[in-house]
Amino acid sequence: MTETMRNRPSGPMNGGRALAEMLRLAGAGPMFGMGGFQLLPFYDAIGLVGLTHHLINDERCGAFAADAYARVTNRPGICDGTLGPGATNLLTGLVESLNGGIPIIAISGNTNRAHSWKNMTQECRQVEILRPAVKEVMRIEMISRIPELVRRAFAMATSGRPGPVLLDVPEDVCHGTHDFAAEDFEIDEATLKAPARRARPDRAEIERAAKLIAKAKRPLLLVGGGIHLSEAYQALTKLAEAQSIPVAHTMSGKGSISCANPLSVGLFGRYSRIANDMIDASDCLVVVGCKLGEIATKRFTLPPAHIPVIHLDIVAEEIGRCIPAEVSLWGDARAGLEDLAEALSDSDRTARAKRTDYVAEVAPRLRKWEAEAAPRLNSPDRPVHMARLCRELNKTLPAESILVADGGFAGHWTGLLYDTKQAGRHFIPDRGLASIGYGLPGGIGACLAAPDRPVVAISGDGGFNMTLGDLESARRIGCGLTVIVVNNAASGYVKALQHAMMGGRYQSADLNEMDYAAIARTMGCGGIRVEDPEALAPALQQGMEECDRPTVVDVVVTRDPAQMLPAVDNRTVQIKQGDRVA
Ligand SMILES: Cc1ncc(C[n+]2csc(CCOP(=O)(O)OP(=O)(O)O)c2C)c(N)n1
Ligand SMILES: [Mg+2]
């Protein structure tokens, strides 16, 4: 008998208790939400069954925290919202998880069905509002079906491309009672973590792909967040090394292979060090777990049409959506990469010999890029240069750390310049929906998922303003999180675009000058204001040493909109009709 079977409850219990018992059996981690009347029996049961739940000050932040927790662990993150505004506040966070393929179980309280649609307070069409924001809505209409539907929610969240599932719980279901049998509380262990099951691509297509790769002189792997979801790190590195194939990554795909691996050519797409040049000169692209969307393709101008593409993805209909694929591999990233490696294994030695000169190009190209970028990476400027901030992060953050990057320049600059020292989820940007406001709550979720590892979040001042109330949550929870605020006193990305494209007419782009370090100290957190780049590393160190309360490192960066874009490789801004500047 397994441990979970021994611990199965039975007898009369309310719906909230049954829900909590199922989550306990599923090994649920910390949950994030804000209570209300409808889910009170569930809240009451949380402590009784030994689960952990954190009050969060905005349900969107709860959903973001659950998303980051899920990214670190690949186990479904759990968040909840009460009837109406609680449920609707979950929306942005759930869409992030939907677009990013992140397993989430969201629980919403709903009205007592005896009174629904009679102008109940807080009532709204929440199921309809949230339906397109999740992979599946499960409305629980019978108390007796709670275990079955929670089981199904885990299966939906972790199978295929993972995603968020909404369990909508009417008040009378949560408060009502049913006599459960122990056998009702069955769980499927395979579905408690993504990927629940691994599908292998068609054998004949693998052979075709292998032939194409074997023939190529300059193959290149383009990888995205699917590598993390599939935990395909070893399989990717093994194939790349066995066949001498360099690897470029999207923002979500950073950490698929260690950035320190000599075969890593860094970010491709809108921002690039050398990867876009490598793509241009390639003769075979192997795309894995990557949707090839706007940013990865520089608004669909990459890759050049003549280069054959092999596309491996867990969602069949994603293949060929943006770029036609010569070979379509439908399946799990790890399984597909292992199969490719096996199909190619006889040619490993000859492939490496044939590609010696090719892979030898990578290091000098990177050195050349580095030399050109050096003045910015080492800039002594005050206010602090963003490239210098990224360099200090590279120098200071240990290999096991996690950097959570918000939308805005925080994500753009670190996406281009931050290096993970080992493979794994060490860089978490919210590129599903690219909302601002993910940094702080994402940092909370990552901290709780990896309590023994340093977690640093980097956020714009606009994104931080959006979520400042949850610094209180981080403090109360006791997260030893370091939050870097990129303080440019502006909605900087907007201001930079207005500078470049609107003749410097700034509209609704400026923020107040604020001292976020002082605010943090007032809130009982650590707070360090940094104006001199030399003070960055000690401030980060001090933040990472704080184990039980957050530290805000408020970094004063340029206020000049001409200097804000990640210009390391884009010093001459090109304005094209109908596109944004890079
Ligand atoms: C919720 C949301 N609203 C608007 C945007 C569009 N947007 C992208 S970057 C940006 C600027 C945000 O300012 P801040 O967080 O200070 O970052 P900065 O660009 O200044 O580094 C905005 C408004 C967004 N991504 N998300
Ligand atoms: Mg800003």
Side-chain angles (χ1 to χ4, degrees):
M1 205 188 264
T2 67
E3 191 60 26
T4 46
M5 284 175 77
R6 259 201 299 278
N7 288 325
R8 291 199 286 187
S10 64
M13 68 186 86
N14 64 40
R17 176 73 184 243
L19 189 54
E21 292 283 5
M22 271 307 281
L23 293 175
R24 173 181 66 81
L25 291 167
M31 306 184 283
F32 308 91
M34 184 186 281
F37 176 63
Q38 292 70 25
L39 294 180
L40 271 191
F42 170 60
Y43 270 53
D44 192 43
I46 286 168
L48 296 175
V49 306
L51 287 170
T52 311
H53 185 281
H54 298 295
L55 168 61
I56 203 101
N57 288 309
D58 177 337
E59 292 83 352
R60 171 186 44 178
C61 290
F64 281 156
D67 179 278
Y69 177 88
R71 284 183 207 233
V72 175
T73 61
N74 270 357
R75 300 174 76 88
I78 302 180
C79 55
D80 59 82
T82 192
L83 168 66
T88 57
N89 270 353
L90 289 170
L91 186 80
T92 303
L94 292 178
V95 180
E96 170 60 38
S97 306
L98 181 72
N99 291 2
I102 308 302
I104 296 288
I105 294 182
I107 302 165
S108 54
N110 209 331
T111 46
N112 188 318
R113 287 169 302 169
H115 309 300
S116 296
W117 311 124
K118 294 193 298 183
N119 301 326
M120 295 286 283
T121 181
Q122 296 183 205
E123 185 175 37
C124 70
R125 295 212 167 264
Q126 66 189 44
V127 166
E128 287 90 332
I129 291 168
L130 292 176
R131 192 180 299 280
V134 293
K135 202 172 161 186
E136 183 78 291
V137 173
M138 288 176 204
R139 164 100 169 157
I140 306 186
E141 299 284 359
M142 291 171 79
I143 307 176
S144 59
R145 293 190 64 187
I146 288 174
E148 172 206 339
L149 292 175
V150 174
R151 198 157 53 240
R152 174 104 188 108
F154 273 87
M156 284 293 299
T158 59
S159 302
R161 180 198 279 165
V165 177
L166 178 72
L167 285 169
D168 189 67
V169 189
E171 175 195 302
D172 50 305
V173 168
C174 196
H175 289 247
T177 303
H178 175 76
D179 192 1
F180 287 94
E183 303 81 72
D184 293 335
F185 291 91
E186 198 185 305
I187 50 161
D188 179 351
E189 301 272 353
T191 64
L192 303 183
K193 186 170 183 278
R197 318 190 202 280
R198 294 184 189 271
R200 306 202 94 86
D202 184 272
R203 193 69 221 171
E205 293 300 291
I206 287 282
E207 294 298 336
R208 283 212 313 131
K211 281 210 181 81
L212 214 57
I213 295 170
K215 201 173 74 184
K217 296 191 178 73
R218 306 177 64 89
L220 185 64
L221 278 149
L222 304 181
V223 300
I227 300 291
H228 294 293
L229 288 162
S230 167
E231 296 181 352
Y233 309 114
Q234 268 193 338
L236 173 69
T237 306
K238 216 172 138 212
L239 174 68
E241 288 178 347
Q243 284 282 317
S244 283
I245 309 178
V247 183
H249 60 78
T250 63
M251 279 171 75
S252 300
K254 192 189 284 287
S256 295
I257 186 169
S258 162
C259 294
N261 188 302
L263 288 170
S264 173
V265 298
L267 187 71
F268 72 95
R270 183 171 294 280
Y271 300 117
S272 155
R273 303 182 196 181
I274 64 164
N276 287 358
D277 294 340
M278 299 288 293
I279 290 176
D280 278 338
S282 172
D283 58 358
C284 176
L285 297 168
V286 187
V287 179
V288 186
C290 166
K291 292 183 286 187
L292 292 175
E294 177 193 354
I295 303 298
T297 60
K298 276 185 106 171
R299 199 169 275 212
F300 314 106
T301 58
L302 271 178
H306 68 272
I307 307 173
V309 168
I310 298 164
H311 196 164
L312 166 58
D313 203 279
I314 191 68
V315 181
E317 56 271 33
E318 208 60 70
I319 301 168
R321 180 201 266 208
C322 303
I323 306 290
E326 176 97 13
V327 182
S328 305
L329 301 177
W330 177 25
D332 172 71
R334 189 174 92 188
L337 287 165
E338 284 168 356
D339 288 357
L340 271 178
E342 195 213 312
L344 283 161
S345 58
D346 287 347
S347 72
D348 283 350
R349 194 176 299 223
T350 44
R352 284 200 300 271
K354 182 169 87 173
R355 294 177 191 138
T356 311
D357 290 349
Y358 171 45
V359 295
E361 284 173 24
V362 173
R365 275 183 189 239
L366 277 172
R367 273 200 302 276
K368 183 164 170 278
W369 167 83
E370 172 105 21
E372 283 171 12
R376 277 149 284 156
L377 291 165
N378 302 318
S379 165
D381 286 1
R382 294 170 64 143
V384 173
H385 199 292
M386 281 299 286
R388 175 70 187 268
L389 171 57
C390 293
R391 164 139 294 189
E392 297 298 324
L393 286 168
N394 282 335
K395 279 204 238 163
T396 314
L397 267 51
E400 72 277 13
S401 67
I402 298 172
L403 180 66
V404 180
D406 203 359
F409 286 131
H412 301 185
W413 281 87
T414 53
L416 178 64
L417 297 179
Y418 182 67
D419 290 327
T420 65
K421 296 168 184 75
Q422 59 191 36
R425 242 337 161 183
H426 296 287
F427 178 69
I428 302 184
D430 59 324
R431 298 312 298 181
L433 190 59
S435 174
I436 61 167
Y438 183 91
L440 169 64
I444 295 174
C447 255
L448 291 168
D452 301 328
R453 290 155 55 185
V455 176
V456 177
I458 180 165
S459 169
D461 41 3
F464 191 62
N465 285 343
M466 237 179 201
T467 57
L468 188 51
D470 276 303
L471 190 58
E472 185 279 328
S473 309
R475 164 93 174 90
R476 176 169 26 84
I477 294 166
C479 288
L481 168 69
T482 304
V483 187
I484 300 169
V485 178
V486 174
N487 186 336
N488 55 14
S491 199
Y493 185 59
V494 176
K495 192 165 185 179
L497 294 189
Q498 289 172 342
H499 174 83
M501 307 184 80
M502 303 293 156
R505 288 183 304 281
Y506 305 118
Q507 175 61 57
S508 306
D510 285 315
L511 294 169
N512 254 337
E513 288 290 345
M514 303 276 271
D515 183 339
Y516 293 98
I519 293 170
R521 288 194 297 272
T522 308
M523 290 173 78
C525 307
I528 307 167
R529 177 110 163 152
V530 174
E531 298 184 36
D532 177 351
E534 295 299 323
L536 280 168
L540 291 171
Q541 282 297 356
Q542 195 179 323
M544 288 190 289
E545 277 158 25
E546 284 269 12
C547 295
D548 51 11
R549 66 168 190 167
T551 303
V552 171
V553 179
D554 184 26
V555 183
V556 180
V557 302
T558 186
R559 270 113 181 90
D560 176 359
Q563 306 279 326
M564 288 180 178
L565 290 161
V568 174
D569 298 287
N570 298 281
R571 271 152 294 160
T572 324
V573 167
Q574 288 175 0
I575 300 177
K576 279 189 287 171
Q577 198 63 33
D579 193 4
R580 296 180 278 197
V581 290

